[in-house]
């Protein structure tokens, strides 16, 4: 199963240093039955893109909790055995949990397929979105508009060999 792990740049740097994505269990996003039902599509590429976007929103939440982190969302795509990722059936229809899975153990960063990161020019919108999240969660439509503005920025695709450059380390 392909899962999308939300991170920040400092989180990616830590994963690069330790060689592991999370100690487990940790939250990631994937094409779950609830996501399929919500998205109303059988196109796996569209569904994977939806799961990636759910992870990008979770990365935004991580940024809101880490004010010192660079304002760039990070998502790592990695394949894990199906048995290691499970959706909580009790949260399946909760709109906030669409696509959410729990990965049971640590995953080697070396198993990552790709890394997705905001471009530098997204930082101002991502900063504003992270600051607006609490108000958006409280139902403020103007704040939700600001949060949605971060989604206007497509995450850039990077090969895993580029992680050292992304985290400011060579080799």
């Amino acid at each position: 199963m392909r899962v999308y792990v939300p991170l920040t740049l400092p989180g990616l740097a830590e994963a690069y240093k330790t060689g592991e994505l999370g100690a487990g269990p940790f939250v990631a996003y994937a094409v779950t039955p609830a996501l399929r039902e919500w998205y109303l599509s059988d196109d796996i590429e569209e569904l994977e893109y939806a799961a990636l976007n759910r992870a990008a929103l979770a990365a935004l939440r991580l940024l809101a909790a880490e004010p010192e982190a660079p304002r760039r969302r990070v998502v790592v795509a990695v394949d894990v055995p199906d048995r290691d990722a499970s959706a909580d059936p009790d949260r399946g229809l909760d709109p906030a949990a669409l696509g959410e899975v729990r990965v049971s153990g640590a995953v080697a960063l070396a198993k990552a397929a790709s890394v997705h990161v905001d471009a530098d020019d997204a930082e101002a919108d991502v900063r504003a979105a992270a600051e607006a999240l609490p108000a958006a969660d409280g139902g403020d439509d103007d704040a939700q508009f600001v949060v949605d503005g971060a989604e206007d920025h497509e995450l850039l695709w990077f090969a895993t060999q580029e992680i050292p450059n992304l985290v400011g380390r060579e080799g």
Side-chain angles (χ1 to χ4, degrees):
M1 172 185 290
R2 166 94 16 122
V3 299
Y4 298 91
V5 181
L7 292 173
T8 61
L9 283 172
L12 181 62
E14 182 64 20
Y16 178 71
K17 185 173 98 179
T18 65
E20 288 186 342
L21 283 170
F26 61 90
V27 172
Y29 293 80
V31 178
T32 61
L35 184 74
R36 281 181 189 276
E37 188 176 318
W38 172 76
Y39 202 73
L40 299 174
S41 175
D42 289 329
D43 184 325
I44 192 63
E45 287 185 18
E46 286 181 17
L47 292 165
E48 294 279 349
Y49 183 72
L52 172 68
N53 283 329
R54 300 296 296 170
L57 177 59
L60 183 65
R61 291 190 178 287
L62 293 173
L63 287 172
E66 266 185 66
E68 71 287 348
R71 306 283 92 179
R72 293 169 72 194
R73 299 167 298 166
V74 177
V75 175
V76 177
V78 62
D79 294 317
V80 299
D82 287 354
R83 69 181 179 277
D84 291 349
S86 60
D88 181 347
D90 294 333
R91 286 183 42 96
L93 297 178
D94 176 356
L98 282 172
E100 189 178 283
V101 294
R102 214 158 270 288
V103 178
S104 61
V107 175
L109 184 60
K111 292 184 181 263
S114 58
V115 180
H116 306 265
V117 182
D118 276 310
D120 291 339
D121 68 355
E123 285 191 32
D125 288 339
V126 171
R127 174 177 288 106
E131 291 169 0
L133 261 176
D137 287 346
D140 183 322
D141 289 339
D142 291 336
Q144 186 61 52
F145 182 77
V146 173
V147 170
D148 292 344
E151 293 178 15
D152 291 342
H153 296 276
E154 295 287 329
L155 297 179
L156 302 178
W157 181 94
F158 293 92
T160 56
Q161 298 87 334
E162 296 177 272
I163 292 173
N165 294 333
L166 290 169
V167 299
R169 298 193 178 133
E170 298 302 320

